[in-house]
């Protein structure tokens, strides 16, 4: 079996391990294995392949991993995620909504819905704006 193929297999194994660990370390080793594979493809000896693996892996760990980790973990106040990102979006009433019951459809998702104001009612097919979400209930209002 050619050396470059062994390096390619090693890169795949490291990448597969990264999927399980999600620590961004094994992925850097996968990049190092691709470096070793490149040296093997140009006919370099095993010692140079190992050196390429170590150097590329170390460079990726020192430079790329901190940047990638920072981008994955940090977020600004303006970035909304989860259900907070739905506030302000529009939905279509799929079952009459009042302050006690109802359902709305946002894209392919169906949500239990209520109005915030007593006496406010939205009929089936009406477009409403999501004003608040508490647990599984979307509170809606006029657009």
């Amino acid at each position: 079996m050619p050396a470059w193929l062994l390096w390619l297999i090693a890169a795949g194994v490291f990448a597969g391990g990264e999927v399980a660990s999600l620590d961004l370390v094994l992925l850097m080793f996968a990049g190092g294995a691709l470096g070793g594979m490149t040296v093997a493809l140009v006919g370099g000896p095993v010692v140079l392949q190992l050196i390429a693996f170590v150097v590329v892996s170390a460079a990726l760990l020192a430079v790329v991993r901190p940047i990638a980790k920072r981008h994955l973990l940090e977020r600004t106040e303006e970035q909304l995620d989860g259900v907070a990102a739905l506030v302000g979006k529009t939905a279509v009433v799929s079952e009459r909504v009042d302050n006690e019951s109802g359902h709305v459809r946002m894209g392919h998702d169906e949500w239990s819905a209520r109005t915030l104001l007593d006496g406010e009612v939205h009929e089936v097919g009406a477009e409403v704006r999501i004003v608040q979400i508490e647990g599984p209930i979307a509170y809606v209002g006029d657009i």
Side-chain angles (χ1 to χ4, degrees):
M1 185 175 296
W4 68 266
L5 186 56
L6 293 174
W7 284 111
L8 185 60
I9 292 169
V13 169
F14 283 131
E18 180 62 40
V19 171
S21 73
L22 298 175
D23 199 30
L24 295 177
V25 173
L26 295 176
L27 191 61
M28 303 305 129
F29 290 154
L34 292 177
M37 180 190 78
T38 303
V39 172
L41 279 173
V42 297
V46 174
V47 173
L48 283 181
Q49 294 171 29
L50 290 172
I51 290 172
F53 170 74
V54 170
V55 169
V56 171
S57 295
L60 290 173
L61 283 168
V63 177
V64 175
R65 184 177 183 268
I67 294 169
K69 196 167 185 179
R70 184 176 65 241
H71 282 286
L72 288 173
L73 296 178
E74 289 182 2
R75 67 182 196 99
T76 64
E77 291 296 320
E78 294 84 33
Q79 287 177 308
L80 298 175
D81 53 10
V83 294
L86 299 176
V87 173
K89 304 277 186 197
T90 59
V92 177
V93 176
S94 58
E95 181 184 304
R96 184 177 187 265
V97 177
D98 55 29
N99 66 338
E100 294 179 4
S101 65
H103 285 90
V104 295
R105 179 168 290 283
M106 290 181 277
H108 296 291
D109 296 329
E110 185 87 16
W111 282 73
S112 295
R114 309 286 185 273
T115 60
L116 287 173
L117 304 173
D118 289 339
E120 185 178 9
V121 175
H122 301 284
E123 297 298 333
V124 173
E127 261 193 37
V128 293
R129 183 167 312 282
I130 308 300
V131 293
Q132 180 180 340
I133 294 184
E134 288 183 13
I137 300 173
Y139 289 90
V140 298
D142 292 325
I143 293 183

